[in-house]
Amino acid sequence: MDELAYQQFCTLDKTHWWLNGRRNIFFHLLDTFLPVKKGLRVMDVGCGFGGMLPGLSRYGHAMGLEIDLDSARGCRKRGFTGICLGSGYDLPLRNNSLDLITLFDSIEHIEDDLRVVRQCGAALKPGGHLMITVPAYQFLFADNDRISHHLRRYTRGRLQQIARAAGLEIIKSTYYNVLLFPLILPAILAMKAMQAIRGPLGEGEGKTNLSHHKQGPVNRILTAIFSAERGFLGRISMPFGHSIALIARKPG
């Protein structure tokens, strides 16, 4: 991703409502659907600056894989151990060696997403789990996606198709960021209309969704609304939302 997006993720990791809300939802889903929650071998593929590694560490030994050298160095400077420099196309792991692999908003950056999911499936032990999260709906592809170096957005059906093609059994598949979606949708469509009028932004002119950071009570209210989805996402799968989460299992 662009330096702007990377720095915002690092700076706002503990405070921004979107980052806190999605983290709360991700770990609630893992707590709900992982049959074993201790002593696992875990890898976060595309770990970026390592924002998810502290949460993953509560399930066992958590490692990170990152293709960008500066990001991998940044993880190590922040005290994270077990950081591997490498590509999702060629995981530096033996087959059948991991209990849990996560791809948190990673495969939308990768040209051959199915190849990466197949690699993750091969690295999982029989009965191991894979969690994937992605942005939803190609018609919402906008400047934020370009700045973040996204290649595409997904539907739930498309993500399920990729998991099944990799030989995995789907345990949970749902849209999320549902409650705020009625506010997010018109805002993105309005921004896309403005982009169509003014043309593409030049280098360094862009803003990400994290650029619109509200401090204080507004941030706390948005965090609470987003995080409240934990109350129903563990029990039901939503048919729409701004993003998608999928948990799959390797047969065996």
Side-chain angles (χ1 to χ4, degrees):
M1 62 179 67
D2 281 2
E3 180 65 20
L4 167 66
Y6 178 79
Q7 290 301 328
Q8 287 178 332
F9 266 85
C10 292
T11 303
L12 301 175
D13 178 46
K14 300 300 183 184
T15 59
H16 197 282
W17 66 267
W18 182 73
L19 293 171
N20 281 327
R22 72 197 276 268
R23 184 163 41 235
N24 290 338
I25 288 171
F26 293 172
F27 290 112
H28 177 75
L29 290 175
L30 285 173
D31 286 343
T32 301
F33 292 99
L34 282 181
V36 178
K37 302 174 180 66
K38 298 291 184 182
L40 304 181
R41 295 194 72 222
V42 183
M43 173 166 276
D44 185 20
V45 175
C47 65
F49 63 94
M52 295 296 179
L53 292 176
L56 290 172
S57 295
R58 72 182 192 229
Y59 302 115
H61 177 58
M63 300 172 284
L65 179 74
E66 177 55 50
I67 196 170
D68 180 70
L69 178 59
D70 289 338
S71 297
R73 285 173 173 166
C75 285
R76 289 168 181 162
K77 287 180 181 177
R78 296 179 69 195
F80 298 122
T81 59
I83 304 300
C84 304
L85 184 67
S87 167
Y89 288 156
D90 187 20
L91 298 183
L93 299 163
R94 297 189 309 274
N95 287 348
N96 306 309
S97 62
L98 292 178
D99 300 291
L100 171 65
I101 298 176
T102 55
L103 289 158
F104 293 129
D105 291 1
S106 294
I107 63 171
E108 67 270 22
H109 298 267
I110 301 169
E111 188 70 37
D112 192 343
D113 48 8
L114 175 56
R115 180 180 171 187
V116 172
V117 176
R118 280 177 170 156
Q119 281 278 313
C120 292
L124 286 173
K125 297 176 182 177
H129 288 73
L130 173 68
M131 183 171 184
I132 308 173
T133 65
V134 292
Y137 303 126
Q138 187 63 27
F139 74 87
L140 294 180
F141 195 96
D143 276 345
N144 178 73
D145 296 282
R146 285 184 280 273
I147 293 169
S148 299
H149 294 184
H150 293 172
L151 300 179
R152 68 191 78 81
R153 299 175 73 94
Y154 292 79
T155 62
R156 187 172 64 169
R158 173 58 182 155
L159 190 59
Q160 290 174 334
Q161 183 182 28
I162 291 170
R164 291 191 179 107
L168 302 172
E169 300 172 346
I170 296 171
I171 304 298
K172 176 70 176 182
S173 175
T174 182
Y175 288 91
Y176 70 94
N177 203 349
V178 174
L179 298 177
L180 293 171
F181 191 53
L183 300 177
I184 294 171
L185 178 60
I188 295 178
L189 293 178
M191 287 189 289
K192 284 177 65 68
M194 292 177 60
Q195 293 163 20
I197 295 170
R198 60 163 162 72
L201 293 172
E203 184 69 25
E205 295 180 346
K207 292 183 178 181
T208 73
N209 291 342
L210 299 185
S211 301
H212 309 286
H213 180 40
K214 303 297 184 182
Q215 300 283 351
V218 174
N219 188 65
R220 291 193 292 271
I221 290 170
L222 292 173
T223 301
I225 294 172
F226 193 2
S227 299
E229 297 184 12
R230 292 175 295 179
F232 56 83
L233 286 180
R235 299 190 301 272
I236 60 175
S237 294
M238 297 302 296
F240 64 88
H242 188 243
S243 302
I244 308 165
L246 179 146
I247 299 176
R249 175 182 176 273
K250 182 175 180 176

